[in-house]
Amino acid sequence: EAAVTQSPRNKVAVTGGKVTLSCNQTNNHNNMYWYRQDTGHGLRLIHYSYGAGSTEKGDIPDGYKASRPSQENFSLILELATPSQTSVYFCASGGDRVEQYFGPGTRLTVL
Amino acid sequence: QQKVQQSPESLSVPEGGMASLNCTSSDRNFQYFWWYRQHSGEGPKALMSIFSDGDKKEGRFTAHLNKASLHVSLHIRDSQPSDSALYFCAAPSSNYNVLYFGSGTKLTVEP
């Protein structure tokens, strides 16, 4: 079965600090995605990538950067974390016109 | 405004009952829809997709699509406590590489 892993699973950060969330997929999918999930908002797309070296802005990219150094890895970077970025973050991978496979999520708390 | 709207926000049905979830779109360009399910503490997982008008049945789950009214529904017959989860409707962008998710319906199946 398709596999997407995320690290860390839980993270507590301080306001103004830098946070990096990592994602790895073994599905050989071209596309990878970062979402955040907040009650009442469902899943909102932050950044996505079509392949190694590419990143695209999603619906809510402000305050976030992304990096896709290889087919397998996709990182989400918060350069200056703020309490409003406290959320659950999901990474997903998918091919064209097929389902997306999600990781288990990272719970981030910014104090 | 979200491109995909779901109703109701929450739903409670007795074990063995029928659960009906609804989804409408504001974008007539959407060609098909996905239903995803998310159990507590996990990432979302695809249930089924529907491309054509009418019904698509997979086990106890039936999706119904009406492209003219931009409405898709999911019906779960003989609901089980294990069906208790958050259900998302999603539709792809015009290049099929991005999914737009609704805000979800929380289903509780009471034993």
Side-chain angles (χ1 to χ4, degrees), chain A residues 1 9 31 33 35 37 40-45 48 50 59 90 95-105, chain B residues 2-3 32 34 36 38 41-47 51 86 88 94-104:
Chain A
E1 175 154 321
R9 294 294 313 279
N31 304 330
Y33 309 85
Y35 297 88
Q37 183 176 25
H41 291 281
L43 292 161
R44 292 184 290 175
L45 183 64
Y48 59 103
Y50 292 125
D59 295 327
F90 287 98
D96 293 346
R97 305 193 186 204
V98 296
E99 70 180 275
Q100 292 183 14
Y101 293 87
F102 283 79
Chain B
Q2 281 190 294
K3 293 178 180 281
Y32 63 95
W34 282 96
Y36 279 73
Q38 182 183 26
E42 300 178 2
K45 187 173 182 179
L47 269 177
F51 290 73
L86 188 57
F88 291 105
S94 56
N95 65 2
Y96 303 103
N97 288 324
V98 171
L99 281 178
Y100 298 107
F101 285 84
S103 56

Side-chain angles (χ1 to χ4, degrees), chain B residues 59-77:
Chain B
R60 295 183 294 108
F61 298 84
T62 300
H64 177 82
L65 175 61
N66 183 326
K67 288 188 178 181
S69 62
L70 301 177
H71 180 262
V72 62
S73 57
L74 180 68
H75 305 277
I76 308 171
R77 66 172 176 82

Side-chain angles (χ1 to χ4, degrees), chain A residues 8 13 35 43 68 77 85:
Chain A
Y35 297 88
L43 292 161
R68 182 89 180 269
I77 303 150
Q85 294 175 313

Side-chain angles (χ1 to χ4, degrees), chain A residues 7-71:
Chain A
S7 64
R9 294 294 313 279
N10 291 281
K11 173 74 177 178
V12 179
V14 296
T15 298
K18 181 176 181 179
V19 176
T20 300
L21 306 183
S22 299
C23 177
N24 177 274
Q25 56 112 351
T26 58
N27 311 319
N28 198 31
H29 287 152
N30 289 330
N31 304 330
M32 295 187 74
Y33 309 85
W34 277 107
Y35 297 88
R36 64 178 283 176
Q37 183 176 25
D38 304 285
T39 302
H41 291 281
L43 292 161
R44 292 184 290 175
L45 183 64
I46 306 170
H47 284 288
Y48 59 103
S49 168
Y50 292 125
S54 90
T55 60
E56 304 288 338
K57 293 181 179 179
D59 295 327
I60 54 164
D62 293 346
Y64 302 93
K65 290 172 57 178
S67 175
R68 182 89 180 269
S70 65
Q71 179 81 342

